[in-house]
Amino acid sequence: MSRKKQAGHRQSPGQAKQGLPKRRLPLALPKKEPLLPARPPAPTEVENPYVVQIVEHIRRVCAIASLPPFVVLEDWTGMLEAALQLYADNARTYAMTGQFIDDPPEVKEVYRRARERYLKATETYPAAYREMQVAFSQTFALLIAAAGLDLGWYATQAAFSPDVIGQVYLACLALGKDWWPYFPSWPAALEVAQAAIPNGEELACQVLIQAHFTYRQVRPANFIQPEPGERFEQWFTEILPYCEPLVIGPALIDSGVMMLAAAAQFPPWAVKDGLIMFYPQSGNPQLDRLARINAMLHGLNGYELEMARAVQDIAAYQQQHPEALYLQPEPHVPAVEPPQLDEEEATAPPATPPPPRPVDRVKPDEQTFEQLFRKIRRSV
């Protein structure tokens, strides 16, 4: 064999250790046709400062630990998903006991694999494990900060996508055009979602109307009518358990960014309180994991409601046990400027992202429910 051919088959020590050729991507393409055609990634989305900083962290881990980007991203997203899934329970338990919960077996396995991988890398590259810890903590905080801009802000502009984690995947893996339809530009995703859901507020109101009818049947003697003022908030709280959520599924959303574009078509209170549920299914485990992470980051599918319940539980416990005021654990938010848009790109400048913490449940503005009041009154 010639020296040229031999050189073409060489692997770095980290690649040989993982048994991965230099450019191999262990990703299986989804089997279904994507909703949008293949288009290259939008440069402004990849240049989002949140995306840039996260990509820098991931690439640094890859370089220091001598690991392929796909391996690092799998560890990163596996731990991200686990941390977000357990965030409310961990916050509640830590505030009450000063300890975190015992992770379920599947989560322990995620952390075990990553721990062993980076400890092994540390034998050759001493900074590998420490760099992984720092990078994964910082990127977690950056993702939460990016989601703090909320979908309402993202929907007012076309330069930056709320699918930050998807843009990170694109930048780190340099995915080919076969993958582009599953990471569409934010304007393209919004256009499809707006055409499919032109009346999101009306659909959300219909969910409340049906819930009111069920509520009235279950409690015919003492049900509350939706009236402006204090009784409106009481009515809204009373009917929530009777709401049958409207489900938006794979026929309309096949990726994280399409899910977020669909969610942006509904009022924030309907999305945050779980009146509208989103279940994309691409047929690819990596893409589906990214969608689940996006759903939690942006408070979809009841996640925000669960966080609000954790806040209420913590407040009630601390009121009864003032001596046990443990601070809620929060990752440090790195200094990063949110995307800056000119007047043509946004109707208002982005606000500084809030710190990552559970927030109070979003309640509907009663002024937007004038038509809802009239509809229900005509029906009773």
Side-chain angles (χ1 to χ4, degrees), residues 192-239:
V192 171
Q194 288 166 355
I197 310 172
N199 56 342
E201 185 170 352
E202 175 69 18
L203 293 174
C205 287
Q206 289 296 327
V207 173
L208 290 182
I209 291 172
Q210 293 302 317
H212 175 81
F213 293 155
T214 303
Y215 161 66
R216 188 181 65 179
Q217 292 172 357
V218 173
R219 298 177 54 182
N222 57 350
F223 67 90
I224 300 172
Q225 288 281 27
E227 302 287 349
E230 294 181 3
R231 286 179 64 83
F232 173 81
E233 183 175 341
Q234 185 180 0
W235 168 80
F236 184 72
T237 302
E238 289 278 340
I239 70 164

Side-chain angles (χ1 to χ4, degrees), residues 36 39 184-193 258:
L36 289 171
R39 291 174 182 160
S185 69
W186 181 236
L190 278 177
E191 183 179 355
V192 171
M258 286 301 303

Side-chain angles (χ1 to χ4, degrees), residues 88-89 91-92 96 305-315 358:
D89 287 341
R92 186 185 289 110
M96 296 178 182
L305 194 57
E306 179 58 27
M307 298 291 271
R309 288 174 182 147
V311 172
Q312 294 172 354
D313 292 344
I314 291 170

Side-chain angles (χ1 to χ4, degrees), residues 53 64 79 96 131 163 175 212 239 250 287 298 305 314 327:
Q53 287 210 20
I64 291 178
M79 286 191 272
M96 296 178 182
E131 186 62 33
D163 182 25
L175 296 172
H212 175 81
I239 70 164
L287 292 179
H298 291 274
L305 194 57
I314 291 170
L327 293 177

Side-chain angles (χ1 to χ4, degrees), residues 246-261:
L246 174 65
V247 177
I248 309 296
L252 178 61
I253 50 177
D254 62 353
S255 63
V257 66
M258 286 301 303
M259 175 185 68
L260 297 179

Side-chain angles (χ1 to χ4, degrees), residues 141-173:
L142 284 164
L143 282 172
I144 294 180
L149 294 172
D150 75 55
L151 292 176
W153 178 84
Y154 280 106
T156 65
Q157 53 82 55
F160 300 103
S161 171
D163 182 25
V164 171
I165 193 168
Q167 298 302 317
V168 170
Y169 250 67
L170 276 177
C172 288
L173 295 180

